[in-house]
Amino acid sequence: MSKLFDQLNKAQAEAVKCINGPSLVIAGAGSGKTRVLTYRVAFLLEKGVPPGNILALTFTNKAAREMKERIVHLLGNDGARFLWMGTFHSMFARILRKEADKLGYPSAFSIYDTDDSKSLIKSIIREMQLDEKIYKPGEVFGRISAAKNNLITPQAYLSNNQFRERDKITRRPMLGEIFKTYAIRCRKAGAMDFDDLLLNTNILFRDFRDTLLNYQEKFRYILVDEYQDTNYAQYLIVNRLGEKYKNVCVVGDDAQSIYSFRGAKIENILNFKNDYPEYKLFKLEQNYRSTQNIVNAGNSIIGHNKNQIRKEVFSKNEDGEKIHVLKAYTDVEEGFIISNAILDHRLSEQLQYSDFAILYRTNAQSRIFEESLRKRNIPYRVYGSISFYQRKEIKDVVAYLRLIVNPKDDEAFRRIINYPARGIGKTTLEKLEELANKDDITLWESSNNAALKINRGTAEKINQFRNFILTCREKAANSDAFEIAKYVVTASGIMQELRNGTMPEEISKYENLEELLNGIQDFVEISKEQGEPYSLADYLQNIALLTDADTDKDTDRDKVSIMTMHAAKGLEFGIVFIAGVEEELFPSPMAVETIHELEEERRLFYVAVTRAKKKVFITYSQSRYRWGELTSCTPSRFIRDIETAYLDWPDDPSKDMFVFDREDIKTIRFKAEEQDTVLPLTRRRLIPVDNRIKTTGAAGLTHETSFTPSDPMKIQTGMVVEHTRFGEGKVIAVEGEMPNRKATVFFREMKQEKQLLLKFAKLRIIEPH
C-alpha cells in the first residue's frame, strides 16, 4: 500500500484509490478537496500512468501550480512537470495553438481580455451608427459571452426567432449583427476572446473527429476541480474527452455553487449520476477548518435547500462560540461596530489584521467599511479592485508585445499607434479604419497601403512606427521574452516618459513598469529551469490567462480583507464579519422570485459563514440610505435559517412580537404566503411560524389588495402582464409543465428580463397576445 494514504482520512483515501471509471467527490467546506485531487494525481503517477495521459483542470493557475509543487514533494521527482494541469482556458488554448490551422486561425493568435472585447464592440456600435445608450458595450458583450458559453455561434443566434424577438423587445434588434461583425473582426485580427477558447475547442472536437479521438486517447485520466462552477461549454468538453475511457473524476460541492451569473450550471454536478450511471460517489464530510458551531450552523443553513446532494459535514475541532448577530441603527454605525470589534479582538487575542475579513453582498457596500477602517488607522485591502495587468501603463506595454507577435491584432494597434505620442491623431486612425473596413484588411495592412490618403509627414510617422515593430519582430525571433520586452520599453520611449514623472501616481506607474519587467524575467528564468518555452508568445499566453487570484501583487499581507461574498469563495480567515444581512439586500431583491435564485443566494450565505475558522459575526442595520433616502430595514430571512442552538442574537426582533394562538398563526401564515409579493419588505412585520419567518403588514395586520393574479396556466408567450413589484412586462417565452412551468418576461421599467416560476410569480394578464 502506498505511503500516500498514511496522510489521508478514510473518506479521502477511498476517493484517491478509485482511479478507474467515473467518480464524483462531494467535498464539504474545509474538507480537504485540494488534498484529494493532489494525492489522486500523485497516486496515478506512482501507479505508472505517464504524466502526459493526465488532464487536471482547475479554476486558477495558482491552484494548479501549488498542486504541481505538492506532487513533486510527495513523489520526490519532477514527473509532475509534464502533467497537463491548469485552468480550462490555459489547457485548451494550448490545444488550439497546435490545432489553430484547422479552424482558420494563426497559431500565434492573440487572446483578447474583457477590455479589448468591449473596445472592439464599442467601435462596431459606432460604425453601425447605433445609440450607445441602448447598445451599451458592456451589456452587448455580456449577451455575446452568454451565447458563446451556451455554444451559440453568431449564425445560430441570427437564425433563432426567439433571440430576434427578445432583442426587438429590448430595443436592440441589431444585437445579432453586432455579434456577427464582432466574430468576423476577431477572426480577421487573428484573435480569440476568453469565451472563444471554449467555444472553438468544442467546434474543433465536433468537426474534426480524428482530432477528438487523438485527445481522447491522450487524456486517459481526467480530473476536474470545482465542478459545480463549470458552464455548459466546459461540461461538454469534459464529456467529449472522457467518452472513450470514462476515467473522469470531478470534485466539488453543490452547496457552494454561486456563479450562475457567470454561466455556471449547478445541474452539471447534480446530474453527474445521469451522465455516468456507473459512477462512484465519495463524500468528504469532515471539516478541518472551522469550529463545531460554525460547521453546524452551515449545515442548518444549507439544509433549507431542496436541490442538493445531501451530506452531513462535521468537525472534530473545539465547539467554539455561537454565531454572533449584531444590530446597528444605521449603516454608518454598522461600519464602526465592525472596525471596533476588529481592534478589540486583535488586541485581546493577539491576532494579525490578516486574520479578519469583512464580507458583503455588493461592491457598493465597501465604502462604509473603508471609511470606518481608515478612521481607526486599520490597514485593509479591497479584493476585486483593478488588477495589476489591467493598469493602463501595463496594458500599453503588453499591447506592443502583442502586436510584435501578431501584427493582425487591431486592438493592440489602436492602443499604441500614438503612444508614446508621435503625431498620429484620431483623424488618421479613422482613415486607417475606413480603408481596413473597405478592403477587408487589418489596420496593420492598411497602414502600409498606397491608397491611404494622408499627408507626407503623417505617412512618415506611420512608417517609423511600422519599422520599429518590424525591427522588434526580427529581434523577437532570437530573443527571450525579457530581452525583447526590455528593448521595447526603452527604444519606444515608454520608460523615459514614465521616468520623468514627479507626481505620486506617475512614480507609481514607473514602479509598475519595473515590476512588469521583473515579472517577465521571473517567467523566463522559471521556464528555463523547468524546461518550458520562454518566448514572447509563450509569455503573452501566460499572462492572458491569469485569473485575479494569480495577479495578486500586494506584498503587505497584514491587512483586513474586505470583499464580496462571491470573491471570498476558496479563502479562509480566523474571524469573519458578514455585513448587511438584511431583506432587500441579502437575499438580493432580484433573487427572490424563483426557488432556483433564492437557493443560490442561500448557498452564497453558506459560503460566507464557512469561510471562518474561529468566529462569525453577522451584522444588520435597522436603516440605511438608498438613492439618498433613509429607509428602514429588517433582518434577512437567512439568519432564521440558522438553528437557535448555534445562534447568539440578543436583539432578536421576534422577542418583541405579539403572541398568537395556533389558529391565528394559521391565518397569518396563509395570508402572508398569499400576499408575499404584494407588501414592500421594509413595511412588513416578522411573524414566527414553525421556526421560519413569514410576513404581514405593519403591526401584525394583513393587508387587502385589489390585485388579483391570473391563472398561471393562462400565461402565454406574447402577452402583456403585470407584476406587483416589477410592473408591466411582455412574456417572451413560456416553458415546462406545472408545477415547474416558467415564463421569461421583459419588464419595461426595469429594462431587464427575468425568468419566473409561475406558481409563485403572481402575474396578472393585461393584454392577451
Side-chain angles (χ1 to χ4, degrees), residues 323-343:
I323 308 298
H324 302 279
V325 182
L326 306 177
K327 177 183 71 176
Y329 290 102
T330 67
D331 49 358
V332 174
E333 186 191 30
E334 183 181 34
F336 284 114
I337 287 174
I338 291 176
S339 58
N340 286 337
I342 289 173
L343 285 177

PDB file of all heavy atoms in Angstrom, residues 323-343:
ATOM      1  N   ILE A 323     -22.700  31.704  16.562  1.00  0.00           N
ATOM      2  CA  ILE A 323     -22.694  32.756  15.550  1.00  0.00           C
ATOM      3  C   ILE A 323     -23.286  34.008  16.181  1.00  0.00           C
ATOM      4  O   ILE A 323     -24.428  33.997  16.653  1.00  0.00           O
ATOM      5  CB  ILE A 323     -23.528  32.352  14.319  1.00  0.00           C
ATOM      6  CG1 ILE A 323     -23.093  30.988  13.788  1.00  0.00           C
ATOM      7  CG2 ILE A 323     -23.441  33.429  13.243  1.00  0.00           C
ATOM      8  CD1 ILE A 323     -21.689  30.919  13.310  1.00  0.00           C
ATOM      9  N   HIS A 324     -22.529  35.091  16.216  1.00  0.00           N
ATOM     10  CA  HIS A 324     -22.982  36.329  16.838  1.00  0.00           C
ATOM     11  C   HIS A 324     -23.753  37.178  15.831  1.00  0.00           C
ATOM     12  O   HIS A 324     -23.284  37.402  14.714  1.00  0.00           O
ATOM     13  CB  HIS A 324     -21.795  37.134  17.361  1.00  0.00           C
ATOM     14  CG  HIS A 324     -20.946  36.395  18.352  1.00  0.00           C
ATOM     15  ND1 HIS A 324     -21.284  36.281  19.685  1.00  0.00           N
ATOM     16  CD2 HIS A 324     -19.777  35.719  18.203  1.00  0.00           C
ATOM     17  CE1 HIS A 324     -20.362  35.573  20.314  1.00  0.00           C
ATOM     18  NE2 HIS A 324     -19.434  35.218  19.431  1.00  0.00           N
ATOM     19  N   VAL A 325     -24.920  37.666  16.229  1.00  0.00           N
ATOM     20  CA  VAL A 325     -25.706  38.569  15.381  1.00  0.00           C
ATOM     21  C   VAL A 325     -25.759  39.928  16.065  1.00  0.00           C
ATOM     22  O   VAL A 325     -26.184  40.045  17.216  1.00  0.00           O
ATOM     23  CB  VAL A 325     -27.135  38.035  15.149  1.00  0.00           C
ATOM     24  CG1 VAL A 325     -27.904  38.971  14.216  1.00  0.00           C
ATOM     25  CG2 VAL A 325     -27.089  36.626  14.558  1.00  0.00           C
ATOM     26  N   LEU A 326     -25.293  40.956  15.366  1.00  0.00           N
ATOM     27  CA  LEU A 326     -25.215  42.305  15.927  1.00  0.00           C
ATOM     28  C   LEU A 326     -26.119  43.257  15.154  1.00  0.00           C
ATOM     29  O   LEU A 326     -26.118  43.262  13.928  1.00  0.00           O
ATOM     30  CB  LEU A 326     -23.772  42.822  15.879  1.00  0.00           C
ATOM     31  CG  LEU A 326     -22.698  41.933  16.524  1.00  0.00           C
ATOM     32  CD1 LEU A 326     -21.319  42.559  16.332  1.00  0.00           C
ATOM     33  CD2 LEU A 326     -22.989  41.723  18.009  1.00  0.00           C
ATOM     34  N   LYS A 327     -26.850  44.075  15.909  1.00  0.00           N
ATOM     35  CA  LYS A 327     -27.751  45.054  15.304  1.00  0.00           C
ATOM     36  C   LYS A 327     -27.116  46.437  15.351  1.00  0.00           C
ATOM     37  O   LYS A 327     -26.532  46.838  16.358  1.00  0.00           O
ATOM     38  CB  LYS A 327     -29.080  45.084  16.063  1.00  0.00           C
ATOM     39  CG  LYS A 327     -30.066  46.137  15.561  1.00  0.00           C
ATOM     40  CD  LYS A 327     -31.323  46.158  16.409  1.00  0.00           C
ATOM     41  CE  LYS A 327     -31.058  46.746  17.798  1.00  0.00           C
ATOM     42  NZ  LYS A 327     -32.281  46.864  18.602  1.00  0.00           N
ATOM     43  N   ALA A 328     -27.239  47.182  14.243  1.00  0.00           N
ATOM     44  CA  ALA A 328     -26.816  48.584  14.208  1.00  0.00           C
ATOM     45  C   ALA A 328     -28.033  49.432  13.849  1.00  0.00           C
ATOM     46  O   ALA A 328     -28.950  48.961  13.174  1.00  0.00           O
ATOM     47  CB  ALA A 328     -25.714  48.786  13.179  1.00  0.00           C
ATOM     48  N   TYR A 329     -28.032  50.677  14.300  1.00  0.00           N
ATOM     49  CA  TYR A 329     -29.170  51.541  13.973  1.00  0.00           C
ATOM     50  C   TYR A 329     -29.052  52.122  12.568  1.00  0.00           C
ATOM     51  O   TYR A 329     -30.046  52.377  11.909  1.00  0.00           O
ATOM     52  CB  TYR A 329     -29.298  52.655  15.015  1.00  0.00           C
ATOM     53  CG  TYR A 329     -29.756  52.136  16.353  1.00  0.00           C
ATOM     54  CD1 TYR A 329     -28.856  51.959  17.398  1.00  0.00           C
ATOM     55  CD2 TYR A 329     -31.090  51.777  16.563  1.00  0.00           C
ATOM     56  CE1 TYR A 329     -29.268  51.444  18.624  1.00  0.00           C
ATOM     57  CE2 TYR A 329     -31.510  51.258  17.776  1.00  0.00           C
ATOM     58  CZ  TYR A 329     -30.591  51.090  18.805  1.00  0.00           C
ATOM     59  OH  TYR A 329     -31.002  50.576  20.012  1.00  0.00           O
ATOM     60  N   THR A 330     -27.798  52.333  12.110  1.00  0.00           N
ATOM     61  CA  THR A 330     -27.581  52.844  10.759  1.00  0.00           C
ATOM     62  C   THR A 330     -26.434  52.070  10.118  1.00  0.00           C
ATOM     63  O   THR A 330     -25.656  51.400  10.808  1.00  0.00           O
ATOM     64  CB  THR A 330     -27.214  54.344  10.763  1.00  0.00           C
ATOM     65  OG1 THR A 330     -25.917  54.499  11.383  1.00  0.00           O
ATOM     66  CG2 THR A 330     -28.243  55.174  11.519  1.00  0.00           C
ATOM     67  N   ASP A 331     -26.299  52.196   8.801  1.00  0.00           N
ATOM     68  CA  ASP A 331     -25.209  51.509   8.123  1.00  0.00           C
ATOM     69  C   ASP A 331     -23.850  52.087   8.522  1.00  0.00           C
ATOM     70  O   ASP A 331     -22.847  51.371   8.568  1.00  0.00           O
ATOM     71  CB  ASP A 331     -25.393  51.558   6.602  1.00  0.00           C
ATOM     72  CG  ASP A 331     -25.698  52.947   6.082  1.00  0.00           C
ATOM     73  OD1 ASP A 331     -25.806  53.875   6.894  1.00  0.00           O
ATOM     74  OD2 ASP A 331     -25.844  53.108   4.854  1.00  0.00           O
ATOM     75  N   VAL A 332     -23.821  53.391   8.842  1.00  0.00           N
ATOM     76  CA  VAL A 332     -22.565  54.002   9.303  1.00  0.00           C
ATOM     77  C   VAL A 332     -22.158  53.400  10.640  1.00  0.00           C
ATOM     78  O   VAL A 332     -20.985  53.069  10.864  1.00  0.00           O
ATOM     79  CB  VAL A 332     -22.708  55.530   9.414  1.00  0.00           C
ATOM     80  CG1 VAL A 332     -21.445  56.138  10.038  1.00  0.00           C
ATOM     81  CG2 VAL A 332     -22.964  56.143   8.048  1.00  0.00           C
ATOM     82  N   GLU A 333     -23.133  53.246  11.549  1.00  0.00           N
ATOM     83  CA  GLU A 333     -22.827  52.638  12.839  1.00  0.00           C
ATOM     84  C   GLU A 333     -22.368  51.192  12.653  1.00  0.00           C
ATOM     85  O   GLU A 333     -21.479  50.715  13.361  1.00  0.00           O
ATOM     86  CB  GLU A 333     -24.052  52.675  13.748  1.00  0.00           C
ATOM     87  CG  GLU A 333     -23.721  52.169  15.148  1.00  0.00           C
ATOM     88  CD  GLU A 333     -24.944  51.922  16.013  1.00  0.00           C
ATOM     89  OE1 GLU A 333     -26.014  51.592  15.465  1.00  0.00           O
ATOM     90  OE2 GLU A 333     -24.823  52.036  17.238  1.00  0.00           O
ATOM     91  N   GLU A 334     -22.923  50.505  11.668  1.00  0.00           N
ATOM     92  CA  GLU A 334     -22.506  49.131  11.387  1.00  0.00           C
ATOM     93  C   GLU A 334     -21.013  49.080  11.073  1.00  0.00           C
ATOM     94  O   GLU A 334     -20.295  48.191  11.544  1.00  0.00           O
ATOM     95  CB  GLU A 334     -23.313  48.573  10.208  1.00  0.00           C
ATOM     96  CG  GLU A 334     -23.001  47.126   9.870  1.00  0.00           C
ATOM     97  CD  GLU A 334     -23.797  46.629   8.680  1.00  0.00           C
ATOM     98  OE1 GLU A 334     -24.065  47.435   7.761  1.00  0.00           O
ATOM     99  OE2 GLU A 334     -24.140  45.434   8.653  1.00  0.00           O
ATOM    100  N   GLY A 335     -20.547  50.056  10.297  1.00  0.00           N
ATOM    101  CA  GLY A 335     -19.130  50.121   9.970  1.00  0.00           C
ATOM    102  C   GLY A 335     -18.267  50.303  11.201  1.00  0.00           C
ATOM    103  O   GLY A 335     -17.211  49.659  11.345  1.00  0.00           O
ATOM    104  N   PHE A 336     -18.703  51.176  12.102  1.00  0.00           N
ATOM    105  CA  PHE A 336     -17.927  51.419  13.319  1.00  0.00           C
ATOM    106  C   PHE A 336     -17.977  50.226  14.261  1.00  0.00           C
ATOM    107  O   PHE A 336     -16.982  49.910  14.927  1.00  0.00           O
ATOM    108  CB  PHE A 336     -18.436  52.680  14.021  1.00  0.00           C
ATOM    109  CG  PHE A 336     -17.977  53.938  13.344  1.00  0.00           C
ATOM    110  CD1 PHE A 336     -18.883  54.790  12.733  1.00  0.00           C
ATOM    111  CD2 PHE A 336     -16.635  54.275  13.297  1.00  0.00           C
ATOM    112  CE1 PHE A 336     -18.458  55.945  12.089  1.00  0.00           C
ATOM    113  CE2 PHE A 336     -16.197  55.430  12.669  1.00  0.00           C
ATOM    114  CZ  PHE A 336     -17.108  56.269  12.059  1.00  0.00           C
ATOM    115  N   ILE A 337     -19.111  49.559  14.359  1.00  0.00           N
ATOM    116  CA  ILE A 337     -19.215  48.364  15.206  1.00  0.00           C
ATOM    117  C   ILE A 337     -18.191  47.320  14.761  1.00  0.00           C
ATOM    118  O   ILE A 337     -17.484  46.718  15.582  1.00  0.00           O
ATOM    119  CB  ILE A 337     -20.645  47.782  15.149  1.00  0.00           C
ATOM    120  CG1 ILE A 337     -21.618  48.675  15.928  1.00  0.00           C
ATOM    121  CG2 ILE A 337     -20.670  46.350  15.688  1.00  0.00           C
ATOM    122  CD1 ILE A 337     -23.069  48.253  15.803  1.00  0.00           C
ATOM    123  N   ILE A 338     -18.093  47.121  13.453  1.00  0.00           N
ATOM    124  CA  ILE A 338     -17.174  46.109  12.928  1.00  0.00           C
ATOM    125  C   ILE A 338     -15.715  46.522  13.135  1.00  0.00           C
ATOM    126  O   ILE A 338     -14.886  45.717  13.582  1.00  0.00           O
ATOM    127  CB  ILE A 338     -17.466  45.835  11.442  1.00  0.00           C
ATOM    128  CG1 ILE A 338     -18.824  45.113  11.300  1.00  0.00           C
ATOM    129  CG2 ILE A 338     -16.361  45.009  10.802  1.00  0.00           C
ATOM    130  CD1 ILE A 338     -19.261  44.878   9.877  1.00  0.00           C
ATOM    131  N   SER A 339     -15.387  47.782  12.825  1.00  0.00           N
ATOM    132  CA  SER A 339     -13.993  48.218  12.978  1.00  0.00           C
ATOM    133  C   SER A 339     -13.565  48.183  14.447  1.00  0.00           C
ATOM    134  O   SER A 339     -12.428  47.807  14.769  1.00  0.00           O
ATOM    135  CB  SER A 339     -13.797  49.616  12.382  1.00  0.00           C
ATOM    136  OG  SER A 339     -14.654  50.559  12.987  1.00  0.00           O
ATOM    137  N   ASN A 340     -14.472  48.560  15.354  1.00  0.00           N
ATOM    138  CA  ASN A 340     -14.158  48.479  16.786  1.00  0.00           C
ATOM    139  C   ASN A 340     -13.936  47.039  17.226  1.00  0.00           C
ATOM    140  O   ASN A 340     -13.026  46.740  18.017  1.00  0.00           O
ATOM    141  CB  ASN A 340     -15.284  49.105  17.614  1.00  0.00           C
ATOM    142  CG  ASN A 340     -15.294  50.619  17.526  1.00  0.00           C
ATOM    143  OD1 ASN A 340     -14.272  51.231  17.228  1.00  0.00           O
ATOM    144  ND2 ASN A 340     -16.440  51.228  17.768  1.00  0.00           N
ATOM    145  N   ALA A 341     -14.782  46.146  16.711  1.00  0.00           N
ATOM    146  CA  ALA A 341     -14.653  44.730  17.079  1.00  0.00           C
ATOM    147  C   ALA A 341     -13.318  44.159  16.603  1.00  0.00           C
ATOM    148  O   ALA A 341     -12.686  43.351  17.291  1.00  0.00           O
ATOM    149  CB  ALA A 341     -15.816  43.935  16.485  1.00  0.00           C
ATOM    150  N   ILE A 342     -12.878  44.602  15.427  1.00  0.00           N
ATOM    151  CA  ILE A 342     -11.591  44.131  14.902  1.00  0.00           C
ATOM    152  C   ILE A 342     -10.455  44.570  15.827  1.00  0.00           C
ATOM    153  O   ILE A 342      -9.573  43.766  16.178  1.00  0.00           O
ATOM    154  CB  ILE A 342     -11.370  44.652  13.470  1.00  0.00           C
ATOM    155  CG1 ILE A 342     -12.320  43.937  12.492  1.00  0.00           C
ATOM    156  CG2 ILE A 342      -9.918  44.460  13.033  1.00  0.00           C
ATOM    157  CD1 ILE A 342     -12.310  44.498  11.090  1.00  0.00           C
ATOM    158  N   LEU A 343     -10.469  45.831  16.236  1.00  0.00           N
ATOM    159  CA  LEU A 343      -9.426  46.319  17.149  1.00  0.00           C
ATOM    160  C   LEU A 343      -9.454  45.565  18.469  1.00  0.00           C
ATOM    161  O   LEU A 343      -8.406  45.159  18.995  1.00  0.00           O
ATOM    162  CB  LEU A 343      -9.609  47.818  17.393  1.00  0.00           C
ATOM    163  CG  LEU A 343      -9.187  48.765  16.269  1.00  0.00           C
ATOM    164  CD1 LEU A 343      -9.492  50.207  16.645  1.00  0.00           C
ATOM    165  CD2 LEU A 343      -7.703  48.607  15.942  1.00  0.00           C
TER     166      LEU A 343
END
